Amino acid sequence: MSLPVIDTPTFEMNLLSIKDPITYRPFLVKEEKLLLMAMEGGDQAEVIKCSKQIINNCCLSEGVSADKLPLFDLQMALLQIRSKSVGEMIDLTIGHLEGKNSNEEECDGRTKIQINLSDLNLTEHPDHSKHIKLTDTISIEMKYPTMDLYSRMDGANIDSGSTVEELFNVITDCINIIYSGEEVFSADDHSREEINDFVNSLSSDQFEKLKVFFQTMPALLHNIEFTCPKCNCQEKQTLNGLGDFFL
């Protein structure tokens, strides 16, 4: 006799970069296990691989590809899928940043907190725009970095000169369209060398505008407050990214 088959429910969610609602299913135990193991192992490449695999497996709507989703939408999609898979409440254990409390005293105290995933929203900067005006006649339309691109950008400090080349490459990859008067130039129709030459021709002020695009783009942030049970200090922290919510 065959074992019973459990029907899997489906749900809908909305993502910032996709116009229509997306139908999805909860992830399976084996899928969650793979992601948690990858995060605990600290292998960035494996985390990216597992995250994209879960998105592609669980999103049932046509045309949804984890390879093309902006990082912030991929993060929100994973949390939405998790909330329908194992519940909206998550238990986290939080410590002091860099092992020091708000009084700058060393403390290894840990605090248990609960977060409702339904309370999480993307933080959107009021002045953020994908359209960047460089001169009176030339402007750029940017596209958001995917998880693959962001993993490269994450290692490139926006304000550091030590990783300028990698940051430069990521910015180049995120240029979508260049407008010059009435002319429209799609980055897909031009070689990487041509796009590199265009970016190299920018002034420092113009290049800074491109960096601001990344600094102000939507992000998965959540502010928390807690009192450490060991030192009794009241603390404030900002959770940022999947790792803070899954581990």
Side-chain angles (χ1 to χ4, degrees):
M1 180 182 296
S2 300
L3 292 174
V5 177
I6 300 176
D7 292 331
T8 303
T10 60
F11 305 91
E12 285 191 345
M13 64 177 161
N14 293 291
L15 296 178
L16 200 61
S17 65
I18 297 179
K19 179 180 178 181
D20 298 320
I22 296 170
T23 301
Y24 68 98
R25 65 161 174 82
F27 53 53
L28 306 177
V29 171
K30 63 180 181 181
E31 292 167 334
E32 181 187 22
K33 183 179 178 181
L34 286 174
L35 180 59
L36 291 176
M37 288 176 63
M39 288 185 167
E40 288 174 348
D43 186 333
Q44 182 74 0
E46 194 62 24
V47 171
I48 292 173
K49 178 182 175 181
C50 291
S51 299
K52 293 194 297 184
Q53 181 180 336
I54 289 175
I55 293 291
N56 289 332
N57 289 352
C58 296
C59 290
L60 307 177
S61 298
E62 292 185 6
V64 179
S65 170
D67 286 316
K68 297 180 181 179
L69 283 179
L71 173 70
F72 52 81
D73 270 348
L74 187 143
Q75 292 175 329
M76 284 301 298
L78 275 176
L79 290 180
Q80 291 263 24
I81 292 169
R82 185 201 184 281
S83 71
K84 298 302 182 184
S85 304
V86 295
E88 294 183 341
M89 301 303 298
I90 57 174
D91 295 311
L92 299 177
T93 301
I94 306 295
H96 298 287
L97 296 177
E98 299 182 353
K100 291 185 177 181
N101 62 25
S102 53
N103 294 327
E104 292 298 315
E105 302 166 338
E106 292 188 1
C107 177
D108 59 1
R110 308 284 288 175
T111 306
K112 293 182 178 180
I113 65 170
Q114 272 197 334
I115 292 178
N116 191 331
L117 292 179
S118 64
D119 294 335
L120 300 181
N121 293 293
L122 289 176
T123 299
E124 299 182 61
H125 195 284
D127 297 327
H128 177 76
S129 176
K130 293 171 63 176
H131 301 276
I132 301 169
K133 184 177 181 181
L134 299 178
T135 70
D136 289 339
T137 58
I138 299 176
S139 61
I140 293 176
E141 179 186 289
M142 302 292 287
K143 58 186 177 184
Y144 292 113
T146 61
M147 195 170 197
D148 288 320
L149 274 179
Y150 194 85
S151 66
R152 289 163 45 192
M153 189 175 72
D154 195 38
N157 189 322
I158 294 287
D159 300 312
S160 170
S162 62
T163 50
V164 168
E165 183 176 356
E166 187 56 54
L167 177 61
F168 179 91
N169 290 334
V170 172
I171 289 177
T172 299
D173 287 337
C174 288
I175 291 177
N176 190 30
I177 299 174
I178 299 171
Y179 300 92
S180 178
E182 298 298 320
E183 295 182 284
V184 179
F185 305 92
S186 172
D188 291 338
D189 297 333
H190 295 270
S191 67
R192 185 177 183 84
E193 182 179 359
E194 289 177 296
I195 301 299
N196 284 343
D197 289 342
F198 172 81
V199 175
N200 275 319
S201 72
L202 301 178
S203 68
S204 295
D205 287 343
Q206 291 167 340
F207 189 70
E208 187 66 28
K209 292 180 180 180
L210 301 189
K211 292 197 290 184
V212 169
F213 166 78
F214 295 98
Q215 294 168 328
T216 60
M217 68 182 182
L220 179 60
L221 304 174
H222 185 66
N223 296 321
I224 59 170
E225 296 184 15
F226 62 93
T227 300
C228 175
K230 186 171 183 178
C231 66
N232 208 35
C233 276
Q234 293 185 339
E235 303 290 349
K236 295 181 180 180
Q237 289 187 23
T238 299
L239 303 182
N240 181 10
L242 285 178
D244 284 349
F245 296 102
F246 269 83
L247 299 179

